[in-house]
Amino acid sequence: MKGIILAAAMTCIAGSAYADGATTGMVGGAATGAILGGPVGAGVGAVVGGVAGGVIDPPPAEVVTYVQQAPAPAETVVVQERVQVGAALPPDVIVTPVPDNPKYGYVVIGQERVIVEPQSRKVVQIIQ
């Protein structure tokens, strides 16, 4: 019983103390894993929770609308690697910033509009 209360308290403290999703996911996963599987479950839960907590949040609706309606650049972008959410774009791909929300940028690759986090170059969402 003490373990369950301690795990629940750790989850609440971590959730309020950290804005980082991966950290919160790790602590929450460890707490849940400890409840279900003891010390081994805590380790497994921390790894799974960290991965799930590190998932990129979708952009706001106004960013998606802007990227959908923005004119396509004159040059075609070709990327050799498969473009997928969470993966970083190559450094030679030019990311166009979203004017009203500099936290996001976009690239048009073929027929897909790709919303990107400019600092990390990670793909946030792919619009078909």
Side-chain angles (χ1 to χ4, degrees):
M1 184 66 179
K2 289 181 185 177
I4 293 173
I5 293 171
L6 178 61
M10 285 176 35
T11 303
C12 292
I13 291 168
S16 62
Y18 297 102
D20 179 37
T23 303
T24 304
M26 287 177 70
V27 173
T32 303
I35 292 168
L36 299 176
V40 174
V44 173
V47 172
V48 172
V51 171
V55 173
I56 300 172
D57 291 332
E62 58 271 10
V63 170
V64 175
T65 301
Y66 177 84
V67 172
Q68 287 173 326
Q69 296 174 353
E75 295 183 28
T76 302
V77 176
V78 177
V79 178
Q80 298 299 325
E81 300 84 20
R82 182 170 174 240
V83 177
Q84 58 188 16
V85 173
L89 292 176
D92 60 333
V93 174
I94 297 171
V95 176
T96 304
V98 173
D100 291 338
N101 196 332
K103 183 179 174 185
Y104 298 97
Y106 71 97
V107 176
V108 178
I109 302 174
Q111 300 300 314
E112 298 177 328
R113 292 175 180 261
V114 180
I115 300 175
V116 179
E117 185 180 73
Q119 289 183 333
S120 67
R121 305 186 62 77
K122 286 187 179 179
V123 174
V124 177
Q125 184 174 345
I126 300 171
I127 303 170
Q128 311 241 336

